[in-house]
Amino acid sequence: QTLALEKQYVGFATLPNQVHRKSVKKGFDFTLMVAGESGMGKSTLVNSLFLTDLYKDRKLLNAEERINQTVEIIKHTVDIEEKGVKLKLTIVDTPGFGDAVNNNECWKPITDYIDQQFEQYFRDESGLNRKNIQDNRVHCCLYFIPPFGHGLRPVDVEFMKALHEKVNVVPLIAKADCLTPNEIKKLKDRVREEIERFGIKVYQFPECDSDEDEEFKQLDKELKECCPLAVIGSNTVVEARGQRVRGRLYPWGIVEVENQSHCDFVKLRNMLIRSHMHDLKDVTCDVHYENYRAQCIQDMTSKLTQDNRMESPIPILPLSTPDVETDRLIKMKDEEVNCYVIMGNITYTG
Amino acid sequence: MEEVKPSAVEDKAAAEEAVEERVAQEKTEDSTAQNKETEEREVDVEREMEGEVEVVTPCPTESHGLQGTIKGHDLFGYVGIEAVLDQMRRKTMKAGFEFNIMVVGQSGLGKSTLVNTLFKSKVSRKSCSPNYEEKISKTVKLQSVSHVIEEKGVKMKLTVIDTPGFGDQINNENCWEPIVSYVNEQYERYLKEELYVNRKPRIPDTRVHCCVYFLPATGHWLRPIDVEFMKRLGKIVSIVPIIAKADTLTMEERQEFKQRIRQDLNANGIRVYPQTEYDEDPEDRILNDKIRENIPFAVVGTDKEHQVNGNKVLGRKTKWGIIEVENVAHCEFTNLRDLLIRSHLQDLKDVTHNIHYETFRVRRLNESNLTLQPPVSTVYCS
């Protein structure tokens, strides 16, 4: 009887397992950007998240050196392996952001960097050899809001608005151990209200599928209500309640980074790595990158109509008879754009 | 010929000096050698009197332990010199005194809370405005609030000058200028009063005696804006930098941060209070050196009380413990309070009056070629 049942199945239910096996072999990559003023604990948090010490030999600049500092982009790449699964993690750091006296447009190097990665991917994707395309696009940007203020400052608003249509912006409240539980709640409410008021499009967690179990739905709901997440990081291990934990030792008590009643670190880690990493990548590919690409093509085609000479990152067929060929090209590109708009609704696996 | 009485001085500090001088003069008449130590002790006693509870009057029969002093019990009878101190104390208490403190720092660093905690009253702008909104203002506008607070019969007119908007914008270039202007304006005002023919018996003193600068607890170094501000203001007012909201630094991080800040201050030639040049004597120097080794103070402020071991303490309650504001093992709030109020309040005023104000005055008088050499019609008695 079992044999008869088996004969009825086509057998593609094993697809998820096949994908899983292939992914494990291939490994994943993820690019995370951290942005915020100096001293917000960005490096410490990254180390805590990925249990690494990426910033071991870092030298802090003093005030004199920082007077003339411009915003830099620095990449650290590390390969992490856990239970046979490999993750190539790239951290994009933005030292100098917001540190100067005059911070006008201090986000420009950052938006330029993100655009450059998009442009490179666009070129590679349109190229002839697409076997080993390197995906350096930024999948998520953690923005550190200081806990000292009463809400968002002008620089916070401007930064997030400059980036919210290019990358997934996840705002965090940094160094949350200087706030009491009430203060955290007040600040979160304030920040949420201001994010809405200023029209900042931060990363939205996708809705739960109706067939998910209740526990997952509950966790998801809690996560959404907690945003922006108030985090604390630590590079040191301390002894607390008979265990060795990552924490910070004060004369008045011990802050445990992984204690959910102390801060939202665990929620952030779960969200970033365990539940939403894939979605962050998907949104980057399907929304931010596509927006960039569509805009790029539109710019190019509008330039084409204006003058027949232009530089383009994608191959354009040589024009024999200017007007006819131009029209055909435009029509072709238009179709392409429309095609993607339709295809955007299909989800790809793998 | 009009004679202006030499003892008609407006500022209480000057009055004290005058009294001191007279006391000292009387002493030289009595003793063959100047006893500087006695003077110092008197100065200390005066300082104590201004903000402290007990007044210790020196015992007339106490031995000074130095040659050349005629001790109390050697005098034929009791002169009653110490009574002068009593008179002065009574006068001080009746007149009260003024103290003007300015707080500078970005929005949200706890300036209002700290000021309220320091003076144990609701004296900040936040507590006094009916429609106070925690909004970031677009320009730096200085606002001052005055209160008269009284303790054990001593009245103090406290003025808190707030600087909302400082350092909050994206472009903070020259955000220190309104503050520099304000400080100089107060000196100008005082100078004008001083130059009048008919001067008030007490010139109202609106000069900034102390500027508390709030550094965010980043743990790294001074930021460019901190350097720019303190460089400029350090020349015209006494700056006391503090690390605000210091409950986010562990003890180690705190020490390292302080060290780096002190290095930065030195490297940039910034002089903060207490300035080494103004130490009056070795004793002062020792005391002030101890303070200098410890600045900037890492403070935490609050107006909420909690129960700890059966006592009510001022503190911040978190899930991992209660940060006691007045516990020296937790933060340096008491050190700051002692510096500003209990030990160096008068010194802050003196430094402002004798050094910062005088510097300003000399510069102004040279600029405008004004001299105190009177024209023919009025004559000042020298």
Side-chain angles (χ1 to χ4, degrees):
Chain A
Q1 218 183 17
T2 333
L3 215 66
L5 272 173
E6 268 194 19
K7 281 211 177 124
Q8 288 174 31
Y9 288 121
V10 176
F12 59 76
T14 60
L15 189 64
N17 290 344
Q18 295 177 30
V19 171
H20 177 87
R21 236 179 302 134
K22 278 208 163 180
S23 308
V24 169
K25 272 183 26 178
K26 192 170 137 196
F28 299 95
D29 59 29
F30 191 68
T31 303
L32 177 70
M33 176 183 269
V34 286
E37 287 176 2
S38 280
M40 288 292 111
K42 303 186 291 292
S43 319
T44 310
L45 187 74
V46 165
N47 284 344
S48 305
L49 274 173
F50 299 101
L51 297 177
T52 58
D53 198 358
L54 287 176
Y55 299 88
K56 241 189 317 237
D57 301 317
R58 181 176 68 156
K59 177 184 161 280
L60 294 174
L61 299 179
N62 66 20
E64 221 175 292
E65 289 168 313
R66 274 150 77 195
I67 284 179
N68 296 317
Q69 187 195 30
T70 49
V71 179
E72 283 179 86
I73 306 281
I74 296 187
K75 276 174 27 176
H76 303 266
T77 305
V78 66
D79 286 309
I80 306 175
E81 182 173 329
E82 212 178 49
K83 296 205 172 113
V85 183
K86 291 197 260 304
L87 173 69
K88 177 164 161 269
L89 174 71
T90 305
I91 306 287
V92 179
D93 210 346
T94 55
F97 173 82
D99 285 340
V101 177
N102 181 353
N103 292 311
N104 269 339
E105 307 245 307
C106 61
W107 47 84
K108 196 150 184 311
I110 298 173
T111 51
D112 284 348
Y113 176 82
I114 295 175
D115 282 341
Q116 271 161 30
Q117 307 316 305
F118 281 158
E119 187 185 312
Q120 168 156 32
Y121 195 83
F122 190 19
R123 263 182 224 268
D124 289 349
E125 201 186 43
S126 317
L128 295 174
N129 185 353
R130 308 206 295 182
K131 211 164 177 204
N132 289 319
I133 297 182
Q134 267 237 323
D135 187 3
N136 291 321
R137 296 174 293 183
V138 179
H139 299 121
C140 177
C141 175
L142 297 178
Y143 184 66
F144 289 67
I145 299 171
F148 309 130
H150 297 297
L152 294 179
R153 303 162 301 160
V155 69
D156 301 328
V157 174
E158 292 305 309
F159 176 84
M160 290 199 278
K161 285 190 85 164
L163 262 76
H164 64 173
E165 279 169 350
K166 292 182 193 283
V167 72
N168 296 317
V169 174
V170 176
L172 301 173
I173 295 176
K175 293 199 166 178
D177 55 350
C178 81
L179 297 171
T180 63
N182 264 345
E183 289 167 348
I184 290 186
K185 185 175 177 310
K186 253 175 74 180
L187 184 59
K188 283 189 183 187
D189 286 342
R190 185 78 183 252
V191 170
R192 267 200 296 266
E193 186 256 327
E194 286 175 341
I195 283 179
E196 203 175 304
R197 179 153 42 102
F198 289 108
I200 300 171
K201 300 186 206 134
V202 297
Y203 172 68
Q204 298 292 334
F205 301 110
E207 292 302 324
C208 266
D209 293 327
S210 50
D211 59 354
E212 295 283 359
D213 59 45
E214 276 309 310
E215 196 192 324
F216 187 82
K217 282 193 191 163
Q218 180 63 25
L219 284 173
D220 192 61
K221 182 161 166 282
E222 277 172 23
L223 180 63
K224 288 186 179 140
E225 283 167 2
C226 258
C227 284
L229 299 174
V231 293
I232 301 170
S234 167
N235 283 328
T236 50
V237 176
V238 295
E239 180 107 12
R241 296 179 288 135
Q243 291 179 321
R244 289 177 66 75
V245 292
R246 262 196 186 232
R248 290 172 65 70
L249 176 63
Y250 291 113
W252 48 85
I254 300 178
V255 177
E256 299 165 52
V257 168
E258 293 187 19
N259 183 334
Q260 298 228 42
S261 64
H262 287 189
C263 71
D264 299 327
F265 173 80
V266 172
K267 289 202 172 70
L268 174 68
R269 183 183 56 196
N270 288 347
M271 183 274 283
L272 206 56
I273 301 172
R274 296 180 192 179
S275 51
H276 289 76
M277 185 178 267
H278 202 70
D279 185 65
L280 284 164
K281 291 178 71 169
D282 278 349
V283 174
T284 307
C285 296
D286 299 342
V287 178
H288 300 296
Y289 172 67
E290 290 306 317
N291 282 340
Y292 170 85
R293 188 173 170 282
Q295 185 64 45
C296 221
I297 292 176
Q298 213 173 26
D299 288 345
M300 282 191 315
T301 51
S302 68
K303 266 195 152 182
L304 264 178
T305 53
Q306 281 173 16
D307 50 64
N308 292 332
R309 249 183 346 104
M310 56 148 284
E311 223 178 271
S312 104
I314 71 165
I316 291 191
L317 303 171
L319 308 176
S320 42
T321 330
D323 292 306
V324 172
E325 280 303 285
T326 313
D327 280 346
R328 194 175 72 80
L329 214 62
I330 294 172
K331 196 153 176 274
M332 193 176 82
K333 296 287 179 225
D334 268 339
E335 274 171 10
E336 237 187 308
V337 172
N338 289 335
C339 209
Y340 257 88
V341 169
I342 298 165
M343 285 173 90
N345 291 331
I346 305 175
T347 36
Y348 301 102
T349 52
Chain B
M1 199 161 111
E2 245 188 277
E3 200 179 75
V4 178
K5 283 202 296 213
S7 61
V9 280
E10 303 74 19
D11 200 56
K12 196 187 78 59
E16 284 166 34
E17 274 172 58
V19 170
E20 268 179 57
E21 272 178 1
R22 261 183 274 136
V23 171
Q25 275 170 17
E26 282 168 291
K27 274 219 152 11
T28 37
E29 286 163 29
D30 288 335
S31 66
T32 43
Q34 275 275 351
N35 187 349
K36 196 160 196 292
E37 236 187 48
T38 325
E39 264 182 60
E40 281 173 24
R41 254 183 56 250
E42 278 164 3
V43 171
D44 283 333
V45 168
E46 282 152 24
R47 282 216 183 116
E48 246 184 292
M49 280 183 337
E50 264 125 56
E52 256 305 73
V53 179
E54 243 94 88
V55 175
V56 179
T57 46
C59 171
T61 54
E62 211 171 58
S63 157
H64 295 245
L66 271 192
Q67 303 283 48
T69 318
I70 299 180
K71 303 192 182 73
H73 55 69
D74 288 342
L75 295 167
F76 301 116
Y78 175 55
V79 179
I81 296 170
E82 298 83 19
V84 178
L85 295 170
D86 261 342
Q87 297 169 29
M88 236 182 61
R89 196 180 91 225
R90 243 177 289 135
K91 200 161 177 218
T92 308
M93 282 173 60
K94 268 176 53 183
F97 58 102
E98 297 159 306
F99 188 62
N100 306 321
I101 181 171
M102 178 186 271
V103 285
V104 183
Q106 284 172 314
S107 170
L109 284 180
K111 301 187 290 292
S112 305
T113 309
L114 187 74
V115 162
N116 286 348
T117 317
L118 268 176
F119 295 101
K120 288 202 174 7
S121 354
K122 293 206 184 304
V123 289
S124 73
R125 178 180 57 104
K126 188 152 99 168
S127 319
C128 303
S129 328
N131 299 317
Y132 180 80
E133 252 184 66
E134 276 164 359
K135 253 191 333 189
I136 290 183
S137 71
K138 294 239 181 285
T139 51
V140 181
K141 279 202 190 83
L142 281 84
Q143 292 174 0
S144 71
V145 176
S146 296
H147 292 265
V148 175
I149 44 183
E150 182 175 328
E151 192 178 65
K152 300 212 180 342
V154 181
K155 284 204 210 51
M156 172 162 86
K157 179 165 174 247
L158 172 72
T159 303
V160 178
I161 303 140
D162 204 347
T163 55
F166 176 83
D168 286 332
Q169 305 310 314
I170 296 179
N171 182 356
N172 291 310
E173 251 160 29
N174 300 323
C175 65
W176 44 80
E177 272 174 14
I179 300 174
V180 172
S181 300
Y182 179 88
V183 171
N184 285 329
E185 259 164 44
Q186 308 317 306
Y187 290 147
E188 181 80 28
R189 209 182 277 192
Y190 195 89
L191 182 64
K192 279 210 173 69
E193 292 278 347
E194 231 188 18
L195 293 175
Y196 281 151
V197 173
N198 293 316
R199 302 196 288 197
K200 299 197 182 113
R202 273 178 63 114
I203 298 184
D205 191 358
T206 57
R207 298 170 297 185
V208 179
H209 299 127
C210 173
C211 173
V212 181
Y213 187 69
F214 286 64
L215 297 165
T218 58
H220 291 192
W221 294 85
L222 287 183
R223 302 164 302 159
I225 192 176
D226 301 328
V227 173
E228 291 300 312
F229 177 84
M230 289 199 276
K231 248 197 203 160
R232 288 174 172 75
L233 270 286
K235 299 193 182 125
I236 57 176
V237 76
S238 295
I239 299 187
V240 175
I242 61 166
I243 301 174
K245 297 203 169 176
D247 50 353
T248 184
L249 295 170
T250 62
M251 295 298 121
E252 258 179 55
E253 290 167 349
R254 185 194 283 186
Q255 286 307 113
E256 282 171 12
F257 189 34
K258 283 201 207 189
Q259 221 173 354
R260 284 197 276 256
I261 292 178
R262 284 195 291 265
Q263 274 177 347
D264 249 352
L265 289 175
N266 265 335
N268 285 292
I270 298 171
R271 290 204 294 278
V272 298
Y273 184 83
Q275 300 93 327
T276 38
E277 309 85 73
Y278 309 147
D279 286 338
E280 282 170 359
D281 48 48
E283 206 179 289
D284 265 356
R285 170 140 302 172
I286 294 174
L287 183 65
N288 288 343
D289 272 345
K290 273 215 203 80
I291 295 171
R292 280 187 282 262
E293 278 165 27
N294 227 354
I295 51 167
F297 291 129
V299 295
V300 172
T302 183
D303 48 10
K304 297 199 171 55
E305 286 185 328
H306 300 276
Q307 287 278 359
V308 172
N309 295 334
N311 297 326
K312 259 179 168 278
V313 293
L314 272 181
R316 286 172 59 73
K317 187 164 183 203
T318 61
K319 287 266 159 70
W320 46 87
I322 297 184
I323 303 154
E324 298 166 47
V325 167
E326 285 171 323
N327 183 339
V328 286
H330 288 191
C331 78
E332 293 170 326
F333 171 79
T334 36
N335 303 47
L336 177 70
R337 181 191 54 201
D338 290 348
L339 175 75
L340 286 185
I341 302 174
R342 295 192 184 175
S343 56
H344 286 67
L345 189 97
Q346 186 55 41
D347 188 60
L348 279 163
K349 293 182 62 169
D350 285 344
V351 168
T352 306
H353 180 69
N354 298 334
I355 296 167
H356 296 301
Y357 171 66
E358 289 300 316
T359 312
F360 173 84
R361 183 173 169 278
V362 166
R363 186 165 48 90
R364 274 296 272 132
L365 294 183
N366 281 334
E367 273 172 20
S368 49
N369 288 319
L370 284 172
T371 64
L372 271 190
Q373 291 310 310
V376 179
S377 48
T378 43
V379 178
Y380 291 96
C381 181
S382 55

